[in-house]
Amino acid sequence: MERNMSSKILLKSLIVNLFLTIVKFIGSVLGNSKTLISDAVHSFSDMSTDIIGLIGDKLSSKKPDKEHPYGHGRIEYLTSIIMSFFIIWLGLSIMVTSFNGKIKVPNKSALVVIGITIVIKFILSTYLLKKGKEMGSNIILANGVESRYDMYNSILGFVFILISFLGSDNKYFKYADIIGSVVIAFMSIKVGIEILLKNVSSILGEVETDNNKINSVKEIIKSDLYKIRRVTLIKYGHYYDAIIDLILKNNININEVYKLEQSIKKELKRSDMSIRYVTVNFKPKNKKM
Protein backbone atom coordinates (compact mmCIF):
# COMPACT_ATOMS: atom_id res chain seq x y z
CA MET A 1 0.00 0.00 0.00
CA GLU A 2 2.80 2.38 0.98
CA ARG A 3 4.75 1.49 -2.18
CA ASN A 4 1.69 2.32 -4.32
CA MET A 5 1.33 5.66 -2.53
CA SER A 6 5.02 6.40 -3.09
CA SER A 7 4.68 5.63 -6.81
CA LYS A 8 1.64 7.91 -7.11
CA ILE A 9 3.50 10.79 -5.45
CA LEU A 10 6.53 10.31 -7.71
CA LEU A 11 4.26 10.16 -10.76
CA LYS A 12 2.63 13.47 -9.77
CA SER A 13 6.08 15.01 -9.38
CA LEU A 14 7.14 13.65 -12.79
CA ILE A 15 4.07 15.14 -14.51
CA VAL A 16 4.64 18.55 -12.91
CA ASN A 17 8.37 18.55 -13.79
CA LEU A 18 7.62 17.49 -17.36
CA PHE A 19 5.11 20.33 -17.64
CA LEU A 20 7.63 22.84 -16.22
CA THR A 21 10.37 21.64 -18.59
CA ILE A 22 8.10 22.06 -21.64
CA VAL A 23 6.83 25.45 -20.46
CA LYS A 24 10.38 26.71 -19.91
CA PHE A 25 11.51 25.59 -23.37
CA ILE A 26 8.50 27.31 -24.99
CA GLY A 27 9.02 30.37 -22.77
CA SER A 28 12.68 30.56 -23.79
CA VAL A 29 11.65 30.84 -27.45
CA LEU A 30 8.86 33.36 -26.84
CA GLY A 31 10.91 35.33 -24.34
CA ASN A 32 14.25 35.30 -26.25
CA SER A 33 16.01 33.97 -23.16
CA LYS A 34 18.99 31.64 -23.18
CA THR A 35 18.93 31.53 -19.38
CA LEU A 36 15.45 30.01 -19.54
CA ILE A 37 16.70 27.30 -21.90
CA SER A 38 19.40 26.36 -19.37
CA ASP A 39 16.83 26.40 -16.59
CA ALA A 40 14.67 24.02 -18.65
CA VAL A 41 17.64 21.62 -18.87
CA HIS A 42 18.06 21.86 -15.11
CA SER A 43 14.37 21.03 -14.67
CA PHE A 44 14.91 18.02 -16.91
CA SER A 45 17.65 16.81 -14.55
CA ASP A 46 15.18 17.21 -11.68
CA MET A 47 12.59 15.28 -13.68
CA SER A 48 15.10 12.47 -14.13
CA THR A 49 15.11 11.85 -10.36
CA ASP A 50 11.37 11.16 -10.59
CA ILE A 51 11.94 8.69 -13.43
CA ILE A 52 14.71 6.96 -11.49
CA GLY A 53 12.50 6.83 -8.41
CA LEU A 54 9.63 5.25 -10.34
CA ILE A 55 11.97 2.71 -11.92
CA GLY A 56 13.36 1.91 -8.48
CA ASP A 57 9.86 1.42 -7.05
CA LYS A 58 8.94 -0.84 -9.97
CA LEU A 59 12.10 -2.93 -9.68
CA SER A 60 11.80 -3.25 -5.91
CA SER A 61 8.50 -5.08 -6.41
CA LYS A 62 9.97 -7.53 -8.93
CA LYS A 63 10.70 -10.92 -7.41
CA PRO A 64 14.26 -12.29 -7.39
CA ASP A 65 15.09 -15.04 -9.87
CA LYS A 66 17.73 -17.74 -10.19
CA GLU A 67 20.26 -15.41 -11.83
CA HIS A 68 19.48 -12.47 -9.50
CA PRO A 69 18.84 -13.87 -6.00
CA TYR A 70 19.06 -10.39 -4.47
CA GLY A 71 16.56 -8.80 -6.85
CA HIS A 72 17.03 -6.31 -9.68
CA GLY A 73 17.47 -3.06 -7.72
CA ARG A 74 20.87 -2.22 -9.18
CA ILE A 75 19.35 -1.67 -12.64
CA GLU A 76 18.29 1.65 -11.12
CA TYR A 77 21.97 2.66 -10.97
CA LEU A 78 22.47 1.81 -14.67
CA THR A 79 19.43 3.94 -15.58
CA SER A 80 20.85 6.81 -13.51
CA ILE A 81 24.23 6.58 -15.26
CA ILE A 82 22.61 6.75 -18.71
CA MET A 83 20.53 9.77 -17.68
CA SER A 84 23.58 11.48 -16.13
CA PHE A 85 25.43 11.33 -19.49
CA PHE A 86 22.37 12.84 -21.21
CA ILE A 87 22.17 15.66 -18.64
CA ILE A 88 25.91 16.41 -18.99
CA TRP A 89 25.59 16.43 -22.80
CA LEU A 90 22.61 18.80 -22.67
CA GLY A 91 24.43 21.12 -20.27
CA LEU A 92 27.56 21.26 -22.43
CA SER A 93 25.47 21.86 -25.57
CA ILE A 94 23.59 24.75 -23.96
CA MET A 95 26.84 26.25 -22.64
CA VAL A 96 28.44 26.18 -26.10
CA THR A 97 25.39 27.54 -27.94
CA SER A 98 25.00 30.36 -25.37
CA PHE A 99 27.78 32.24 -27.16
CA ASN A 100 26.42 31.63 -30.64
CA GLY A 101 24.07 33.90 -32.53
CA LYS A 102 23.00 37.48 -32.09
CA ILE A 103 22.62 38.91 -28.58
CA LYS A 104 18.92 39.21 -27.76
CA VAL A 105 17.45 40.89 -24.72
CA PRO A 106 14.76 38.80 -22.99
CA ASN A 107 11.25 40.26 -22.93
CA LYS A 108 8.53 40.21 -20.27
CA SER A 109 7.32 36.76 -21.38
CA ALA A 110 10.51 35.17 -20.05
CA LEU A 111 10.07 36.87 -16.68
CA VAL A 112 6.42 35.82 -16.43
CA VAL A 113 7.17 32.19 -17.36
CA ILE A 114 10.06 31.76 -14.96
CA GLY A 115 8.11 33.57 -12.22
CA ILE A 116 5.19 31.13 -12.59
CA THR A 117 7.51 28.11 -12.57
CA ILE A 118 9.13 29.33 -9.33
CA VAL A 119 5.73 29.39 -7.62
CA ILE A 120 4.79 25.94 -8.95
CA LYS A 121 8.17 24.53 -7.92
CA PHE A 122 7.77 25.92 -4.41
CA ILE A 123 4.37 24.23 -4.08
CA LEU A 124 5.72 20.92 -5.45
CA SER A 125 8.84 20.87 -3.26
CA THR A 126 6.79 21.70 -0.14
CA TYR A 127 4.37 18.86 -0.98
CA LEU A 128 7.18 16.34 -1.54
CA LEU A 129 9.04 17.29 1.64
CA LYS A 130 5.83 17.03 3.68
CA LYS A 131 4.85 13.63 2.22
CA GLY A 132 8.41 12.34 2.53
CA LYS A 133 8.47 13.15 6.25
CA GLU A 134 4.99 11.73 6.83
CA MET A 135 5.81 8.43 5.08
CA GLY A 136 9.44 8.25 6.20
CA SER A 137 10.39 7.84 2.53
CA ASN A 138 14.00 8.74 1.69
CA ILE A 139 13.35 8.77 -2.07
CA ILE A 140 10.45 11.24 -1.77
CA LEU A 141 12.46 13.42 0.62
CA ALA A 142 15.37 13.38 -1.84
CA ASN A 143 13.02 14.46 -4.64
CA GLY A 144 11.68 17.21 -2.42
CA VAL A 145 15.20 18.52 -1.78
CA GLU A 146 15.99 18.34 -5.52
CA SER A 147 12.81 20.30 -6.31
CA ARG A 148 13.67 22.96 -3.74
CA TYR A 149 17.17 23.36 -5.25
CA ASP A 150 15.60 23.62 -8.71
CA MET A 151 13.40 26.42 -7.37
CA TYR A 152 16.49 28.28 -6.09
CA ASN A 153 18.08 27.72 -9.49
CA SER A 154 15.04 29.32 -11.19
CA ILE A 155 15.21 32.29 -8.80
CA LEU A 156 18.83 32.79 -9.87
CA GLY A 157 17.73 32.59 -13.50
CA PHE A 158 14.98 35.15 -12.82
CA VAL A 159 17.61 37.58 -11.47
CA PHE A 160 19.83 37.23 -14.56
CA ILE A 161 16.86 37.70 -16.92
CA LEU A 162 15.65 40.73 -14.94
CA ILE A 163 19.09 42.35 -15.05
CA SER A 164 19.31 41.77 -18.80
CA PHE A 165 15.77 43.11 -19.33
CA LEU A 166 16.18 46.25 -17.21
CA GLY A 167 19.73 46.91 -18.40
CA SER A 168 19.13 46.39 -22.12
CA ASP A 169 20.67 49.80 -22.90
CA ASN A 170 23.75 49.10 -20.80
CA LYS A 171 26.73 47.65 -22.69
CA TYR A 172 27.48 45.24 -19.86
CA PHE A 173 24.07 44.33 -18.41
CA LYS A 174 22.76 43.18 -21.79
CA TYR A 175 25.07 40.15 -21.47
CA ALA A 176 23.42 39.05 -18.20
CA ASP A 177 21.13 36.58 -19.99
CA ILE A 178 24.11 34.84 -21.63
CA ILE A 179 26.01 34.74 -18.32
CA GLY A 180 22.91 33.33 -16.62
CA SER A 181 22.65 30.66 -19.30
CA VAL A 182 26.29 29.60 -18.80
CA VAL A 183 26.04 29.60 -14.99
CA ILE A 184 22.89 27.48 -14.90
CA ALA A 185 24.20 25.16 -17.64
CA PHE A 186 27.32 24.67 -15.51
CA MET A 187 25.13 23.80 -12.52
CA SER A 188 23.25 21.23 -14.64
CA ILE A 189 26.57 19.67 -15.71
CA LYS A 190 27.59 19.55 -12.04
CA VAL A 191 24.36 17.71 -11.17
CA GLY A 192 24.95 15.24 -14.00
CA ILE A 193 28.51 14.53 -12.84
CA GLU A 194 27.35 14.05 -9.24
CA ILE A 195 24.68 11.56 -10.38
CA LEU A 196 27.27 9.74 -12.51
CA LEU A 197 29.89 9.41 -9.75
CA LYS A 198 27.36 8.40 -7.11
CA ASN A 199 25.84 5.64 -9.22
CA VAL A 200 29.15 4.30 -10.57
CA SER A 201 30.17 3.80 -6.95
CA SER A 202 26.84 2.15 -6.13
CA ILE A 203 26.79 -0.21 -9.10
CA LEU A 204 30.24 -1.52 -8.10
CA GLY A 205 28.80 -2.59 -4.76
CA GLU A 206 28.49 0.16 -2.16
CA VAL A 207 27.70 -0.16 1.53
CA GLU A 208 25.68 2.31 3.58
CA THR A 209 27.95 4.72 5.48
CA ASP A 210 25.21 6.71 7.22
CA ASN A 211 25.79 5.99 10.93
CA ASN A 212 22.23 7.07 11.75
CA LYS A 213 20.81 4.26 9.62
CA ILE A 214 23.27 1.71 10.98
CA ASN A 215 22.46 2.76 14.55
CA SER A 216 18.74 2.49 13.75
CA VAL A 217 19.28 -1.15 12.76
CA LYS A 218 21.20 -1.78 15.98
CA GLU A 219 18.37 -0.24 17.97
CA ILE A 220 15.81 -2.54 16.31
CA ILE A 221 17.74 -5.77 16.99
CA LYS A 222 19.33 -4.98 20.36
CA SER A 223 18.97 -7.76 22.97
CA ASP A 224 20.46 -8.97 26.24
CA LEU A 225 21.19 -12.33 24.59
CA TYR A 226 24.03 -11.08 22.39
CA LYS A 227 26.44 -8.27 21.62
CA ILE A 228 26.27 -6.61 18.20
CA ARG A 229 29.73 -6.86 16.64
CA ARG A 230 29.02 -5.36 13.22
CA VAL A 231 26.13 -4.24 11.00
CA THR A 232 26.69 -4.00 7.24
CA LEU A 233 24.04 -2.63 4.88
CA ILE A 234 24.70 -3.39 1.21
CA LYS A 235 22.81 -1.15 -1.23
CA TYR A 236 20.56 -2.66 -3.90
CA GLY A 237 18.80 0.39 -5.33
CA HIS A 238 15.93 1.24 -2.99
CA TYR A 239 16.53 -1.60 -0.57
CA TYR A 240 19.29 -3.22 1.47
CA ASP A 241 20.87 -6.58 2.14
CA ALA A 242 21.74 -6.55 5.85
CA ILE A 243 24.61 -8.65 7.23
CA ILE A 244 24.54 -8.86 11.03
CA ASP A 245 27.47 -10.21 13.06
CA LEU A 246 26.61 -11.06 16.67
CA ILE A 247 28.46 -12.43 19.70
CA LEU A 248 26.31 -14.63 21.93
CA LYS A 249 26.54 -13.85 25.65
CA ASN A 250 25.39 -17.33 26.72
CA ASN A 251 25.63 -20.79 25.27
CA ILE A 252 22.31 -21.70 23.62
CA ASN A 253 21.26 -24.71 21.55
CA ILE A 254 20.76 -24.77 17.79
CA ASN A 255 16.96 -24.46 18.03
CA GLU A 256 17.23 -21.30 20.11
CA VAL A 257 19.78 -19.88 17.65
CA TYR A 258 17.37 -20.56 14.79
CA LYS A 259 14.46 -18.87 16.60
CA LEU A 260 16.67 -15.89 17.40
CA GLU A 261 17.75 -15.61 13.76
CA GLN A 262 14.16 -15.71 12.50
CA SER A 263 13.10 -13.08 15.04
CA ILE A 264 15.88 -10.70 13.91
CA LYS A 265 14.98 -11.18 10.24
CA LYS A 266 11.29 -10.57 10.94
CA GLU A 267 11.93 -7.38 12.92
CA LEU A 268 14.24 -5.90 10.27
CA LYS A 269 12.07 -6.79 7.27
CA ARG A 270 8.93 -5.28 8.80
CA SER A 271 10.75 -2.10 9.84
CA ASP A 272 10.78 1.07 7.72
CA MET A 273 14.50 0.58 6.92
CA SER A 274 13.86 -0.91 3.43
CA ILE A 275 15.73 -4.09 4.36
CA ARG A 276 14.75 -7.02 2.14
CA TYR A 277 17.47 -9.61 2.79
CA VAL A 278 19.08 -10.46 6.13
CA THR A 279 22.06 -12.68 6.93
CA VAL A 280 22.81 -13.30 10.62
CA ASN A 281 26.19 -14.63 11.73
CA PHE A 282 26.49 -15.89 15.32
CA LYS A 283 29.73 -16.26 17.23
CA PRO A 284 29.78 -18.19 20.53
CA LYS A 285 31.14 -16.39 23.55
CA ASN A 286 34.96 -16.48 23.92
CA LYS A 287 35.43 -17.79 20.35
CA LYS A 288 37.42 -15.91 17.70
CA MET A 289 35.71 -14.96 14.45
Side-chain angles (χ1 to χ4, degrees):
M1 181 68 179
E2 188 170 316
R3 183 181 291 123
N4 290 335
M5 179 63 70
S6 176
S7 295
K8 288 180 180 178
I9 292 171
L10 290 172
L11 183 59
K12 289 178 183 178
S13 178
L14 173 61
I15 293 171
V16 172
N17 281 316
L18 177 60
F19 170 76
L20 290 176
T21 301
I22 294 172
V23 167
K24 286 178 181 179
F25 270 117
I26 294 174
S28 67
V29 176
L30 298 177
N32 295 323
S33 174
K34 293 183 177 182
T35 296
L36 202 50
I37 295 178
S38 291
D39 197 35
V41 172
H42 201 276
S43 286
F44 175 82
S45 69
D46 196 43
M47 184 179 72
S48 69
T49 62
D50 298 321
I51 297 173
I52 293 165
L54 285 167
I55 291 172
D57 262 12
K58 183 69 175 177
L59 291 175
S60 67
S61 63
K62 189 176 181 180
K63 294 182 179 180
D65 52 39
K66 187 177 180 180
E67 290 77 21
H68 307 91
Y70 290 97
H72 304 77
R74 283 185 177 170
I75 296 178
E76 176 188 341
Y77 301 141
L78 181 60
T79 305
S80 301
I81 289 171
I82 294 171
M83 297 199 76
S84 70
F85 279 118
F86 188 54
I87 292 168
I88 293 169
W89 176 78
L90 280 175
L92 288 171
S93 298
I94 295 298
M95 187 177 288
V96 171
T97 56
S98 294
F99 297 99
N100 297 335
K102 185 180 178 181
I103 298 175
K104 296 180 180 179
V105 177
N107 57 43
K108 291 181 180 178
S109 298
L111 288 170
V112 171
V113 169
I114 199 168
I116 292 173
T117 61
I118 288 170
V119 174
I120 295 174
K121 205 64 181 182
F122 174 76
I123 295 171
L124 176 62
S125 61
T126 301
Y127 169 75
L128 291 173
L129 290 171
K130 179 181 178 182
K131 287 296 182 181
K133 290 177 182 177
E134 288 177 356
M135 297 174 62
S137 171
N138 290 328
I139 184 63
I140 294 177
L141 279 172
N143 278 37
V145 172
E146 287 285 344
S147 291
R148 186 56 58 92
Y149 277 123
D150 190 40
M151 182 196 75
Y152 295 145
N153 196 72
S154 295
I155 291 174
L156 180 63
F158 181 88
V159 172
F160 277 114
I161 294 172
L162 183 63
I163 291 173
S164 182
F165 176 73
L166 295 178
S168 58
D169 295 329
N170 186 287
K171 63 178 181 179
Y172 298 113
F173 286 174
K174 66 180 180 179
Y175 293 103
D177 185 53
I178 294 176
I179 296 172
S181 176
V182 172
V183 169
I184 296 176
F186 174 79
M187 293 173 69
S188 296
I189 294 169
K190 180 175 177 291
V191 169
I193 293 173
E194 288 173 350
I195 293 173
L196 175 62
L197 295 177
K198 178 182 177 182
N199 286 280
V200 166
S201 175
S202 297
I203 206 169
L204 291 175
E206 188 178 42
V207 297
E208 181 59 71
T209 57
D210 188 339
N211 286 326
N212 290 328
K213 291 185 179 180
I214 294 172
N215 289 332
S216 295
V217 172
K218 291 180 178 179
E219 187 67 25
I220 293 170
I221 65 174
K222 68 179 181 179
S223 171
D224 295 331
L225 298 174
Y226 51 77
K227 177 183 177 181
I228 302 172
R229 183 174 182 272
R230 181 171 54 228
V231 171
T232 305
L233 297 176
I234 302 174
K235 295 180 179 180
Y236 279 86
H238 282 54
Y239 55 87
Y240 295 105
D241 171 22
I243 301 175
I244 315 295
D245 294 318
L246 307 173
I247 300 175
L248 294 171
K249 292 183 178 180
N250 302 300
N251 293 324
I252 59 177
N253 61 46
I254 190 66
N255 288 328
E256 291 173 323
V257 169
Y258 175 75
K259 289 180 181 179
L260 194 56
E261 178 185 15
Q262 295 305 307
S263 175
I264 291 171
K265 288 182 176 181
K266 183 178 180 181
E267 289 298 320
L268 288 177
K269 288 181 179 180
R270 74 180 185 181
S271 71
D272 60 354
M273 297 293 298
S274 300
I275 296 173
R276 179 168 296 182
Y277 304 99
V278 182
T279 302
V280 185
N281 300 314
F282 292 98
K283 170 187 173 294
K285 187 179 180 181
N286 300 324
K287 293 287 185 179
K288 293 183 178 181
M289 290 190 82

